[in-house]
Structure formats: C-alpha cells, structure tokens
Amino acid sequence: MSNTNHSLESIVSTLRTTRNADDDSLKILIETSQNCQCLFDAADSVRRENYGINVYVRGLIELSNYCKNNCYYCGIRCGNPVVERYRLTDDEILNCCEIGYELGYRTFVLQGGEDGLFNDNRVCKIVTEIRKRYADCAITLSLGEKSETAYKSFYDAGANRYLLRHETANDAHYAKLHPPEMMLENRKQCLWNLKRIGYQVGSGFMVGTPYQTTDCLLDDLRFLQELQPDMIGIGPFLSHRDTPFASFQNGSMQQTLRMIAILRLMFPYALLPATTALGTIDPLGREFGLKVGANVLMPNLSPITVRKKYELYDNKICTGEEAAECRNCLAGRVASVGYEIVTHIGNVKR
Ligand code: 5AD
Ligand code: FES
C-alpha cells in the first residue's frame, strides 16, 4: 500500500468516526487524484446505516424562468436576452402536483427565478391550495432570497422546507460569481432566518465554478458545519453558452463525487441529492452519486413545453421527448445500482 493511500484511509476513518477532520486532511480529500474507493465505500456504508437502500424522490416544478438577478454562471440570469421567458399559471402548478401525486411523489419542490410576479401573496395562495389538497406531502420552496416576513408567511401557509444554496461560502469567491448587489452575507442571513422560522433547510454549492480553489471548498464545508442544514445539494458547475462564464471549463465529476462522499461522512443524517447537473455531466452521474452517499433524486415535474426554457446550464437532461418517462427511467436507474425509490415524504433523520 502506498503512503498516500494509507493517509487517505486514515483520514477517511477519522472523518467517519468523528464527523470531522482538520483543514489539511480535508484538503487532501478534496484535491486528491488518487483512487478514492475507501472514501466512497465509507460514505455508502454510512448512508446504509442511516437510510438503508431508500432513495427519496422530490417532484421539481419550475414555476418561472424570469429572474431579477444576474449571477454570472446562470443561464436564466436577467442579462440573458436570448432565453425565452415563461411563467406557469396557478392551475398549471396545481396540475403538476396532481400528476406528481399519482406518480408517487410526496414532496413538491416549487423552484423559480426571483420573479417579482410571484409575489408573497401569490406564493402564499399557491402553497395554501397545495397544502389543502395534499395533507400528506411536504411542500418545499426554492424561490431565492426573500424577507423574513415573507418566509414566515409561506411557512404559515403550509410550506415545510426551503432550498437556498449558498453557492460558495468564500466572500471573495462569491464576488467573482455574482454582481456587486448580491452579497454572501444576505444569503447566509436568509438561511439563518429560515432555520429560526422552523423550516427544514437545504443549502449547497457548485463544484468547479470559475476561480474556485480548494480553500473555497473547505470554507463551504466549514460553513455547512455551522449551519447544520437538513439537505445539501451540490453539483458540478456547467457552463452556459449565453453567460459571462461561457468559455470556462465545467467542474469535474470525480471532484463532485468526492465532495458528496465527504458530506455524507460529515453529515450522516443529511438528505443529499444526486443532482440533475451530475446527470448532465455524465450519463451515469446520478447513479455514481447514489453509490457514494447521495439518497435523493429530484426529477422534473414541469410541463414538457417549458422544460427546455429552464436551462441553467447547457445540455440539461430530461428536457426532451423522453421527459414524460422520468419516473420509470429513474426507477430502473436506481435499481441498477442496488437502491430503491420509496413513496414517502422522506423527512430528515436527525
Ligand atoms: N451550472 C451548475 N449549476 C448551476 N446552478 C445555476 N447555474 C448553474 C450552472 N451553470 C445551480 C445553482 C442554483 C441551482 C438552482 O442551480 O447552484 O442554486
Ligand atoms: Fe428523466 Fe431518465 S430521469 S428521462
């Protein structure tokens, strides 16, 4: 056994037993080009201890691709004049829930750009109606930065969970990915507000964004240790042709898989999705994600007619003709790696 392998193994073992490691050890795991099978195996075994072979599914409904923000990486940034904008009607949203419920989804994720026309009243109205119709389902919102009052009113209307990735926990790096009016501090404040209100909170970051260093990823892990979120969504950065980052390289799948595995060891209870971005960078990316600690899938429930328009990055999967088949397709994919989709609300196990 080589020295490096030996030290990888001892780092993994420390991380598994203490859910923590010193900065230098974490950096070795984040950066290594060594075979990380011991990391992946440990992550899968911790996943099985906590969640067995269960995979939870969340039906993702993309409400609107209007966005007032101008993040440099994102295909639906307001500065992109090429994207064809759309908004779902309340009826279309409820119809997606109805189809989703029939298919076995017990969590609906309402996601969208920061669209002024989905104002607080309208969101409350939609949440109230979904809550009334589906008492046994979780309602997850992913609508960006809002006031604490707005978050509270959505919660009181029946929303249970909120997803808001911090994107990067390093201030200087945050400023390289976003225009000056966007601030990491506000993002973090939103996450703390959501927690205080009582939401199950999801955060997360992209792997391989332009200007990201190992220290940035370490900052992400340390911030998550503070926040202790219920869900952590990560995926590789993928460039979009009509953004300022069009010519930057995509993130790496291997590094994303290592980060998922590290997160599983640090947060044994967490809900970790194998994301669409991971399935886009490699046809088997989501399957690999499941094998290294991920336990959630978030298939698209949006009407097929709008899916292509919610293109955060190039070549996003499940936007074409095959999209109606996602549920069956996923069942097969999950079974192929030895796990099982469950029809279950899938709350976090703390
Ligand atoms: N590549 C990968 N992920 C992206 N997201 C946005 N743009 C991209 C991109 N180009 C992610 C962000 C956001 C989530 C909804 O999608 O992390 O929070
Ligand atoms: Fe959408 Fe396979 S998951 S087609």
Side-chain angles (χ1 to χ4, degrees):
M1 197 193 303
S2 78
N3 261 341
T4 326
N5 257 335
H6 180 75
S7 64
L8 276 189
E9 270 171 33
S10 67
I11 296 168
V12 167
S13 146
T14 305
L15 193 56
R16 178 172 183 170
T17 47
T18 67
R19 303 180 182 189
N20 204 358
D22 58 59
D23 288 0
D24 289 340
S25 299
L26 285 174
K27 286 202 223 180
I28 290 173
L29 286 188
I30 294 171
E31 274 178 356
T32 186
S33 56
Q34 301 285 308
N35 174 356
C36 279
Q37 202 54 48
C38 67
L39 170 64
F40 296 154
D41 289 347
D44 186 50
S45 117
V46 168
R47 174 251 210 269
R48 285 170 192 264
E49 283 165 22
N50 288 277
Y51 288 97
I53 58 167
N54 288 355
V55 173
Y56 299 126
V57 284
R58 324 299 200 188
L60 185 64
I61 305 171
E62 295 155 338
L63 306 185
S64 166
N65 70 351
Y66 284 85
C67 191
K68 71 172 173 59
N69 293 332
N70 214 10
C71 309
Y72 302 145
Y73 46 83
C74 183
I76 65 168
R77 64 202 301 272
C78 68
N80 179 1
V82 183
V83 55
E84 198 184 320
R85 304 287 171 171
Y86 77 90
R87 274 184 195 102
L88 299 186
T89 65
D90 294 6
D91 281 345
E92 283 174 317
I93 296 164
L94 291 166
N95 194 39
C96 291
C97 295
E98 194 177 327
I99 294 168
Y101 193 88
E102 287 295 309
L103 288 168
Y105 295 103
R106 294 296 176 268
T107 295
F108 304 118
V109 183
L110 309 188
Q111 182 168 88
E114 292 195 18
D115 177 358
L117 261 68
F118 276 94
N119 58 33
D120 302 349
N121 274 341
R122 179 159 176 212
V123 173
C124 282
K125 189 171 149 247
I126 296 165
V127 170
T128 304
E129 188 58 33
I130 299 175
R131 175 52 63 230
K132 194 171 97 197
R133 295 188 188 187
Y134 307 101
D136 59 337
C137 291
I139 303 175
T140 305
L141 299 178
S142 178
L143 302 170
E145 296 181 15
K146 307 273 177 190
S147 68
E148 186 167 8
T149 322
Y151 287 150
K152 178 76 166 69
S153 64
F154 306 157
Y155 186 83
D156 291 339
N160 322 85
R161 306 181 184 147
Y162 205 100
L163 307 182
L164 182 69
R165 291 189 180 177
H166 64 274
E167 312 296 359
T168 172
N170 179 289
D171 275 300
H173 186 222
Y174 196 92
K176 292 211 178 259
L177 304 184
H178 303 95
E181 64 274 14
M182 291 182 73
M183 272 165 323
L184 178 58
E185 204 186 316
N186 293 342
R187 190 53 67 118
K188 288 182 173 173
Q189 190 56 55
C190 285
L191 287 161
W192 292 115
N193 292 345
L194 289 160
K195 272 205 108 159
R196 181 155 8 95
I197 292 168
Y199 282 97
Q200 293 176 45
V201 168
S203 196
F205 55 91
M206 289 172 283
V207 178
T209 37
Y211 313 107
Q212 185 177 64
T213 62
T214 304
D215 281 301
C216 296
L217 288 166
L218 185 61
D219 288 346
D220 289 320
L221 296 176
R222 296 302 182 207
F223 170 64
L224 291 167
Q225 283 182 314
E226 267 178 66
L227 183 68
Q228 292 289 317
D230 303 287
M231 296 163 270
I232 305 169
I234 72 167
F237 161 74
L238 299 167
S239 72
H240 185 291
R241 63 198 174 282
D242 301 314
T243 63
F245 288 169
S247 59
F248 280 90
Q249 266 201 345
N250 288 342
S252 117
M253 177 166 79
Q254 280 309 316
Q255 190 171 45
T256 307
L257 295 175
R258 286 199 301 279
M259 293 308 298
I260 293 175
I262 293 169
L263 289 170
R264 173 56 67 207
L265 297 181
M266 293 178 86
F267 308 94
Y269 60 82
L271 295 159
L272 301 179
T275 55
T276 305
L278 193 54
T280 298
I281 200 168
D282 187 291
L284 292 177
R286 288 170 299 177
E287 287 86 332
F288 294 136
L290 294 173
K291 285 167 75 168
V292 304
N295 61 340
V296 173
L297 288 168
M298 300 177 64
N300 203 315
L301 269 182
S302 309
I304 308 249
T305 48
V306 305
R307 286 195 199 177
K308 190 85 194 127
K309 299 176 191 163
Y310 201 87
E311 208 184 12
L312 308 182
Y313 41 79
D314 288 342
N315 305 315
K316 187 177 161 203
I317 54 169
C318 299
T319 59
E321 284 306 310
E322 82 296 350
E325 283 304 310
C326 284
R327 191 58 168 78
N328 293 331
C329 171
L330 282 179
R333 286 171 179 271
V334 169
S336 78
V337 278
Y339 306 97
E340 191 181 9
I341 291 183
V342 290
T343 296
H344 194 287
I345 191 163
N347 280 322
V348 72
K349 294 187 182 172
R350 285 274 198 183

